[in-house]
Amino acid sequence: MRVKDKVAVVTGSGRGIGETTVQRLAEEGAKVVVTDINEEGAIKVANGIKAKGGQAIAVVTDVTKLDQVEALMKKAVDEFGSLDILVNNAGFNRDMLIKNMTEKDWDDVIDTDLKGSFLASKFATPYMVEKKYGKVVNISSRAWHGNPGQANYSSAKAGIIGLTKSMAWEFGRYNINVNCIAPGMIATELMKGHPKFEMIKERQLANMPIKRLGETIDVANTILFLVSDEASFISGEVIHVSGGRFG
Ligand SMILES: NC(=O)c1ccc[n+]([C@@H]2O[C@H](COP(=O)([O-])OP(=O)(O)OC[C@H]3O[C@@H](n4cnc5c(N)ncnc54)[C@H](O)[C@@H]3O)[C@@H](O)[C@H]2O)c1
């Protein structure tokens, strides 16, 4: 029970990495807020946790909308009495070369992946500051190093590292740890749905020391470590969960 009775909000937890994260945190005693833009996914995941004896609520939130994000954090505290853990996980990619990328393609990815993390952090941290306790994990991507066809996504994910390091400085004095995970290729619906999935997979495996794709549990276990008190002297860090591939 490494996070017993801690209250955790994980954005984009209606499926994928976020889903496995809320399940793992609940197994370790956390009360979890399953929040996603996709209502059906959020309810299904929360019900699954409750069916196993865990504590969970589902809240529909679009992380790009300030009012919804503010209300989400208030709901977490109203329901469970506290807010100890925030995982900024909601995100997606829309890959294409810059010559084909529209302003909307740029804005949509930056708004969800980067601004969404800022908004959730802005409205979650006041509760943590008040308690002088908190853990924030931001989900970047190995793509922050840069990839052709991912200018919007790589920029958002590199921005998340800047956000993490700034937050670590701003909130360290309040006993709040802020860290970042940069996953490599994880076998989720998001990746499997990519039109060039097989080609990308082969190319990735050829450039990875560990010859397999990541699983959502690889990321969830690293999040669990970072939000547990085992990691209380780690902040502003970027951990690649990428089978040893960095660039
Ligand atoms: N899968 C990978 O290989 C991989 C690699 C590196 C980084 N990541 C990052 O990990 C995170 C999770 O990815 P995943 O593979 O689990 O994706 P996924 O698509 O399976 O899950 C993402 C979830 O975020 C939700 N979401 C999207 N926009 C939202 C919004 N505006 N507000 C609230 N929720 C929203 C979706 O509905 C979905 O349930 C993302 O930030 C992604 O960029 C994934």
Side-chain angles (χ1 to χ4, degrees):
M1 288 287 172
R2 291 154 76 187
V3 284
K4 188 164 171 40
D5 293 332
K6 301 289 189 230
V7 178
V9 173
V10 180
T11 66
S13 46
R15 71 174 200 181
I17 292 169
E19 175 181 4
T20 307
T21 300
V22 283
Q23 290 166 344
R24 192 74 191 89
L25 293 175
E27 279 168 15
E28 294 288 335
K31 302 168 187 174
V32 296
V33 178
V34 183
T35 182
D36 204 290
I37 199 169
N38 171 4
E39 182 173 22
E40 200 186 328
I43 291 173
K44 195 171 154 209
V45 172
N47 284 344
I49 289 169
K50 286 190 277 187
K52 288 188 174 170
Q55 291 191 66
I57 56 166
V59 182
V60 179
T61 316
D62 177 347
V63 294
T64 69
K65 302 282 187 286
L66 184 148
D67 291 357
Q68 293 184 27
V69 175
E70 186 174 17
L72 163 70
M73 303 309 168
K74 187 171 180 307
K75 174 86 179 158
V77 174
D78 287 349
E79 187 75 23
F80 291 133
S82 172
L83 205 175
D84 308 290
I85 295 167
L86 169 67
V87 182
N88 282 314
N89 167 76
F92 69 94
N93 57 311
R94 193 179 295 154
D95 299 350
M96 64 197 78
L97 296 174
I98 287 175
K99 65 179 179 180
N100 299 323
M101 192 178 285
T102 64
E103 186 181 12
K104 184 170 172 18
D105 295 325
W106 175 269
D107 287 346
D108 287 352
V109 171
I110 299 286
D111 274 3
T112 302
D113 295 43
L114 182 56
K115 190 177 93 173
S117 299
F118 157 69
L119 288 177
S121 300
K122 178 175 173 60
F123 290 108
T125 46
Y127 297 107
M128 299 176 179
V129 167
E130 199 183 327
K131 247 184 116 175
K132 292 211 166 34
Y133 182 94
K135 311 281 180 188
V136 180
V137 178
N138 296 323
I139 305 301
S140 176
S141 166
R142 192 207 55 78
W144 78 268
H145 294 276
N147 271 334
Q150 289 198 311
N152 49 1
Y153 188 68
S154 294
S155 299
K157 294 302 189 180
I160 283 175
I161 292 176
L163 175 69
T164 303
K165 290 182 182 286
S166 296
M167 286 181 66
W169 277 109
E170 281 192 33
F171 295 109
R173 74 193 65 186
Y174 303 109
N175 192 31
I176 299 170
N177 302 69
V178 186
N179 290 292
C180 180
I181 294 178
M185 198 166 172
I186 309 296
T188 62
E189 299 306 312
L190 177 117
M191 276 317 305
K192 289 182 196 159
H194 195 289
K196 294 182 180 162
F197 173 70
E198 287 304 327
M199 186 200 83
I200 296 169
K201 179 178 152 187
E202 290 315 311
R203 199 182 286 171
Q204 293 271 333
L205 292 177
N207 288 303
M208 285 166 61
I210 295 175
K211 300 290 179 195
R212 69 167 175 87
L213 293 189
E215 300 293 335
T216 56
I217 193 71
D218 294 313
V219 182
N221 279 334
T222 311
I223 293 170
L224 174 63
F225 167 66
L226 287 173
V227 303
S228 75
D229 287 330
E230 293 157 25
S232 63
F233 203 49
I234 301 174
S235 200
E237 190 58 88
V238 182
I239 298 184
H240 288 74
V241 180
S242 59
R245 184 171 176 211
F246 296 95

